[in-house]
Amino acid sequence: MAGDGSDQRALQYEQTLKYGRYSEDFGEYTKEEAARLRESGQRRSVSQTLKPLENNKGRCAKCRFCTVRCLKFLISRVGEDWIFLILLGLLMALVSWVMDFGINSCLHALMWIYNSLDSYVFLQYLAWVIYPVVLICFSAGFVQILAPPAAGSGIPEMKAILRGVVMKEYLSLKTFVAKIIGLTTALGSGMPLGKEGPFVHLGGLCAAVLMRFMSLFGEIYENESRYIEMLAAACAVGVGSCFAAPIGGVLFSIEITSQFFSVRTYWRGIFAATIGAFIFRVLAVWNTDAETITALLRTSFRLDFPFGLQELPAFGALGIACGFGGALFVYLNGVIVRFIKKQKANNGFLMKKHLLYPALVTLLISTLTFPPGFGQFMAGKLNMMETMEALLDNRTWAKHDIAEEFEHMGHSEAWIHPQVNVFVTLGLFTFMKFWMSALATTMPVPYGSFMPVFVIGAGFGRLVGEGMATWFPDGIPTNGTSYPIVPGGYAAVGAAALSGAVSHSVSTAVIVFEMTGQITHILPIILAVILANIVAQSLSPSLYDSLIKIKKLPFLPELGWGHHEKYDIHVEDMMEREVQYIALNCSYRDLHNVLLTGHHNTVALVESAESMILLGSIELAQLQELLSLQLDRPRRLENIRERAVQDKKRLSVVSNDSSENSSHQASQEVSFQISTEDSSLSPTCPVPQKPLKPALKRPSVVERPTSPHDHSGIAFKNLYGTIPDTETLEEPPPNLKSFFGDDVDVEDDMTIREITEWEEKQLDEQVNFNNCKIDPAPFQLVERTSLHKTHTIFSVLGLDHAYVTSIGRLVGVVSVKELHKAIEGSVKVEGAKARPALASFRDKGKSSSKNEATDVHKLRDRLKSMQLPREHTPSE
Amino acid sequence: MAGDGSDQRALQYEQTLKYGRYSEDFGEYTKEEAARLRESGQRRSVSQTLKPLENNKGRCAKCRFCTVRCLKFLISRVGEDWIFLILLGLLMALVSWVMDFGINSCLHALMWIYNSLDSYVFLQYLAWVIYPVVLICFSAGFVQILAPPAAGSGIPEMKAILRGVVMKEYLSLKTFVAKIIGLTTALGSGMPLGKEGPFVHLGGLCAAVLMRFMSLFGEIYENESRYIEMLAAACAVGVGSCFAAPIGGVLFSIEITSQFFSVRTYWRGIFAATIGAFIFRVLAVWNTDAETITALLRTSFRLDFPFGLQELPAFGALGIACGFGGALFVYLNGVIVRFIKKQKANNGFLMKKHLLYPALVTLLISTLTFPPGFGQFMAGKLNMMETMEALLDNRTWAKHDIAEEFEHMGHSEAWIHPQVNVFVTLGLFTFMKFWMSALATTMPVPYGSFMPVFVIGAGFGRLVGEGMATWFPDGIPTNGTSYPIVPGGYAAVGAAALSGAVSHSVSTAVIVFEMTGQITHILPIILAVILANIVAQSLSPSLYDSLIKIKKLPFLPELGWGHHEKYDIHVEDMMEREVQYIALNCSYRDLHNVLLTGHHNTVALVESAESMILLGSIELAQLQELLSLQLDRPRRLENIRERAVQDKKRLSVVSNDSSENSSHQASQEVSFQISTEDSSLSPTCPVPQKPLKPALKRPSVVERPTSPHDHSGIAFKNLYGTIPDTETLEEPPPNLKSFFGDDVDVEDDMTIREITEWEEKQLDEQVNFNNCKIDPAPFQLVERTSLHKTHTIFSVLGLDHAYVTSIGRLVGVVSVKELHKAIEGSVKVEGAKARPALASFRDKGKSSSKNEATDVHKLRDRLKSMQLPREHTPSE
């Protein structure tokens, strides 16, 4: 039931241990290794208890030993989880704080250069433009060289990883370093990029690195489900320590990465995120950035009358508009990403030089934001945090039309232009930032799109708020008194709504509360976020899902709400009825055929083709190994030797029956070299075709000559990639010949035709599954399992496919692909089936129940034919 | 895979349709019914499209028809979900508001009486005491008469229902009404009871009632998973509309009712809870209770410097103390509840009169809170909301020692006593309320324990806060400046921490933010809540889990964190190896034996006792039916008739082979009356033993005479309860004789001995499973599935038990009971098994893999013996 991921990982893990031992079969080897580990573990525990008694000499060594033991004891008692989560929170807070420090230094340096070149506009322009171009190019180049997976936000990949897909390179130390440095330089450039997406990824990276470190001196609890749970908690820590928003961070990371989650994970996330947020803010206090622990973007809206009831329609309209805006943003971003991808595939002009595209984009954006130029109309001087602070300002800008009054307004000054209205600057800002952000978040640097969208939303909200304040200069009267309208509140609502619409989450509302430190606008914010989500979710996928689709990562779409026709789809409507299976009594030729046509990575094992009773599933890799063992060269050589011995024997005694026995023994023996099944398929092609490879080199993917009837080239490559000891070395390398020992003294004098004949004969033999790892309970569904339940099971357990059985018999298979189709509506339920109330799979219609009855009948008949009937029933 | 709940429900549903039709087999009947429904559905849809064309006369009827159609169209297009959630939010808000209105009226009436009797202290005392006693007694009596399930908080039951347990009476309209009226009167009495627990239940009730209503004019989508999802959302609405805290409500209800939840449910909850909270507050605005939409308990803490960093240790200590307090509260409450239960069981003095206990408790509590008496030292005059408002007060009470200054302080005045210190009143308040609340929440009225605990926590927090303010009169200096300490902040922290500790949830923090409308104290509150949870969770179960245990509801304990040894437990360590099964070729006697010893409600169906290949599972009820069909009276009568015919025939032709055939036909034919298997067990007991029952009456649970070797009386009772047509009527009632038609013209002239013999013969026949409903894919696990994965699967799918298979063979069964044991630590893993990294069930040790290989071998051998071997292998 576990994803194949765990196996791949386990294999990769063992692979690193395995090099240097070539004389043994892989399966045998792992078993021995496991036994050795077990034994050594027992021995170690024995020695641990004995050592303090026997070892009295080295006092210092004893002390150290005790310390290590105490530490281990502490970890095992207090709970590794707690310590891990505390360390994680601490580390992420440090990373976040150091990164903020770096980013602010970069931004301040730019402003310093800009301000010191006050009188030379052209030099100012050059500095304003070249500085970010250099930083972005450094970021892109650095990431490209050190760890390409660090580019982008990383949320789509984390989503896939939490679904059970194994993407090792996305969780490596290299990526961690590349992401931190790349992100700092990219954000230091002042482009409209955020740090929240990468922080989800960084959280995961940090957890993965930390877990590897912890496993050094704790016991190894690299349990798969714990790993995933910890990664999920780590994502929450990332967001939490980035915005100092523990609760919002946890909820946001849950919403964007999971479809199901456990309360346990939620608690873990809250705990670690609180520590992260706490340390992050404490560092700010110690650095005297802040006086005490307060919110990142503290606002001071009225507490007694935050908003009037009459303003709610305006908030609602703002939410709906943000919903459309969010969908548009996702669409725009998708179009650009697809265009870039196409260019890359066609090796177009832009992609010839890797750094050209980001440089051009940066040039364009920084030119447009140049403060003395166009930037004066869109507050180009301010960086992202300053912009947010200004937009959440408590005062009403539209009322103070004269610029003089704005002298004490800090960042808000930037929005007041002597010539143009504040509406024009806000409108221009929103419009320009919109496409700039959509463009900037396609560069090959680490970036987040949450913060830019957040700022755009705030700008749009402020625009609406200022409009309302102009429309009702004295506020809307309620019960006689009237309170003026607070445009800052609209900015908060707009920010939450637009970021919610883009990410398809409602917890952006909580992030806004935690970032601003005020919860007064709770109802308008939630209302707007919900409306924005309704609009955006019905128009487009979320930004992350859109990227997942473009990157073709495996994912399971969510079930929409309200589409009640989905409740009528059942497994039988969507399952693939052509299941690949092998029977217990199949021949190696069947195995071979299955390997050629297999498109899942496991194949069903049934009792027999007649009964179709599902016994388990076998990985294709295992089958490949079985087949290889059957057809490998040592076995053939032995066969020759046996024949030679027999030939000798026949002279004295006429006996001829040891060959079959040897074939059974062979599978227990050494197996190093495998002749591919190609040789059996295309007997005309000469066997020793490729140059010899050094055996101790890490085996790479083997390029097989593609024969015309080979439909599964990719599948094979995967197999070879993951199971290195099935590598096709046509000849034993010279330095390994000695491994075969002295008994391989016969010459391989068989001709190619003889080999082919021998292999054909071998293929007709019945498969011996004795040494084959069988997954004894692959996940099973029934025909009447509903789409909802199937979706739940697939998303909770991270399944790739599940077999459909009916009274033990295999009748179909459902994979993520089929589920995909069903959810996206290409599966039609024939007619309007009026199901009885609370229909479950047990309430079958007439037809299916009849089928079942027949099936049971058939089974029993088979059984009867097999056994002696208990009582003879005379049939008329 | 669906819980047996859905089936029970489906059966109960069909049961209501079925009465009056007795001549047919149940299975046959349902099939016909389904076909009829399907047909009529099609016909209806045809007539709907035709009607507008043909029907031109009745304009009015046409209009109405159109309206209904439009409504249906709207519902089907806009999404039933949305409309449902909006209606649910609306309804819950109305209920909450009306209830608050009622409660406040009751409380004001008491205060009015109390104040108008100003000069007569004894009369005042009488009024103060009798008024709540009357109200509580009315509440307890009303609930007891109308719907006993309405008593208590309902959270434990909702938790069980969301786990898949069917408790119909907990979701009925009667319970809904009883809960509303009972809760209003109980809270109106002024006892320390809250409304949040019942509101979780009320939300579920409201959703269930609404769903039944919606299904009248929408299509019936009573899909089980949707039902559960909607109930989960409804619980969130309850809490949300009770505190006007949508986000906190959703999170709280998720934490206390689920272990796993989907993001979809979370969204639904947020949506509906927002509507609920919004309407709830809008109603308050319209009623001019509030000027605009603000928080329920609005506070006005400082925004710029809410708390100093140096105060954090105090907050932490407060959290830890609240953790211990929470555990103590749960323990105290549990002790009282167990005592009451014992009293009830022993029919003790207190329980003789149902209303005596609540009356005594109310008398005690109200006497102690009598304001001129002891109540003066614990602010007995204030009701719960007033107390909370006072405790969250922004000012420092300890500083104003002279009572005169408190004239303008509103409710805070009540805490200042001329003789005693404010610390004494706060301490007394906390202590007295602590045991009073623990006692009050055991009365048989609807109550919640959240709010009382919340108030106690606030009191304790205030006590600590006032202490801090006295200790540091000028505040703790930070960077030169110093800000005074805000005791109200401590009250908020204490409230969140204690309620979090009692309910084992961290989202009480969010509830506090939403209730107070301020999020300034986010870090201290979360910190304290987490610390309180760590302490409380390691000491005791949550209040709700404690009640679940006492009430013996089925529940699955949560996996603790940090207990890494749990990661080493696998299914093989905890499974029950003695599985009950029936083979495909078993006799009716085997069925009978299984029925006598079965303790799960399903039994495994295997291919044969030798192969043990799991084919499916059958409910005991189905087996019961099968057995009944085999042994029923009509069949015996037919047997007699057949024999008579044969006897006749034998005179002319000697043929004797139709009897077996008839036994096959019989199962397809009418089956009404069943003679219990008792008759076969105790042949000496006379058959027509019980009085005849009117057939058209709803059959009740049949009391069977308990024979000495009957171990499964309870199981049988359940069966009879759910499958009414297997009712044991020993004789056909006279008014039904005609149903058997004219062909039942033979007399039942068999003696008891003959009957016994006939039945013994019948029992030896092989079972015919043709008309039996088989669950074709019961949930399967493997021996190496980890405890974690098993727990996840059980909690997500709401399973009761799962079979353990190994390559198709049944090897064990795991039920909630075994899981329970394993989680609570009674399962020991032998030795320290050093598992390889990321061990999944596929990485088997040597021994198990050998076992497996043998198994496969065995299977193949069996197969070989069954079929012709493909190639003859000479065996030496």
Side-chain angles (χ1 to χ4, degrees), chain A residues 165-188:
Chain A
V165 182
V166 176
M167 296 195 283
K168 240 180 132 60
E169 70 280 10
Y170 276 87
L171 294 179
S172 68
L173 186 62
K174 249 190 197 171
T175 313
F176 186 56
V177 173
K179 195 121 200 171
I180 291 179
I181 294 176
L183 187 60
T184 310
T185 47
L187 296 193

Side-chain angles (χ1 to χ4, degrees), chain A residues 41-218:
Chain A
Q42 281 166 3
R43 214 179 304 136
R44 204 193 317 142
S45 65
V46 169
S47 66
Q48 273 177 6
T49 48
L50 287 177
K51 237 175 203 167
L53 295 172
E54 66 188 20
N55 189 359
N56 257 330
K57 294 173 280 185
R59 281 229 148 201
C60 184
K62 200 180 156 190
C63 279
R64 212 169 53 197
F65 178 76
C66 277
T67 321
V68 169
R69 259 190 92 190
C70 283
L71 211 70
K72 274 190 185 173
F73 181 79
L74 188 78
I75 286 174
S76 67
R77 287 299 132 186
V78 175
E80 217 181 321
D81 287 14
W82 294 103
I83 292 173
F84 177 81
L85 291 173
I86 291 172
L87 280 179
L88 185 66
L90 211 81
L91 203 58
M92 282 309 292
L94 272 173
V95 166
S96 180
W97 187 78
V98 167
M99 206 178 278
D100 270 8
F101 188 80
I103 294 166
N104 284 330
S105 304
C106 286
L107 291 172
H108 287 155
L110 174 60
M111 284 318 285
W112 180 79
I113 296 172
Y114 173 81
N115 285 329
S116 47
L117 295 171
D118 207 4
S119 41
Y120 314 98
V121 177
F122 183 68
L123 282 181
Q124 263 190 327
Y125 172 71
L126 274 189
W128 186 263
V129 162
I130 289 173
Y131 188 85
V133 168
V134 169
L135 278 179
I136 286 282
C137 285
F138 170 77
S139 173
F142 185 77
V143 162
Q144 176 66 21
I145 291 164
L146 189 63
S153 86
I155 289 183
E157 287 82 8
M158 280 311 289
K159 199 168 177 175
I161 288 170
L162 290 179
R163 264 271 302 137
V165 182
V166 176
M167 296 195 283
K168 240 180 132 60
E169 70 280 10
Y170 276 87
L171 294 179
S172 68
L173 186 62
K174 249 190 197 171
T175 313
F176 186 56
V177 173
K179 195 121 200 171
I180 291 179
I181 294 176
L183 187 60
T184 310
T185 47
L187 296 193
S189 72
M191 287 294 101
L193 302 171
K195 73 178 221 191
E196 135 291 336
F199 258 71
V200 170
H201 189 185
L202 270 178
L205 276 165
C206 194
V209 170
L210 201 61
M211 237 181 287
R212 229 172 298 157
F213 172 72
M214 292 281 284
S215 66
L216 288 184
F217 63 104

Side-chain angles (χ1 to χ4, degrees), chain A residues 625-650:
Chain A
E625 208 180 343
L626 276 182
L627 196 62
S628 309
L629 276 175
Q630 181 72 2
L631 298 180
D632 62 353
R633 193 172 177 272
R635 209 168 152 273
R636 188 157 51 82
L637 289 182
E638 196 175 349
N639 179 273
I640 297 170
R641 195 160 47 83
E642 293 276 344
R643 211 165 42 187
V645 172
Q646 278 166 27
D647 284 347
K648 259 188 229 163
K649 267 191 189 166
R650 207 187 298 158

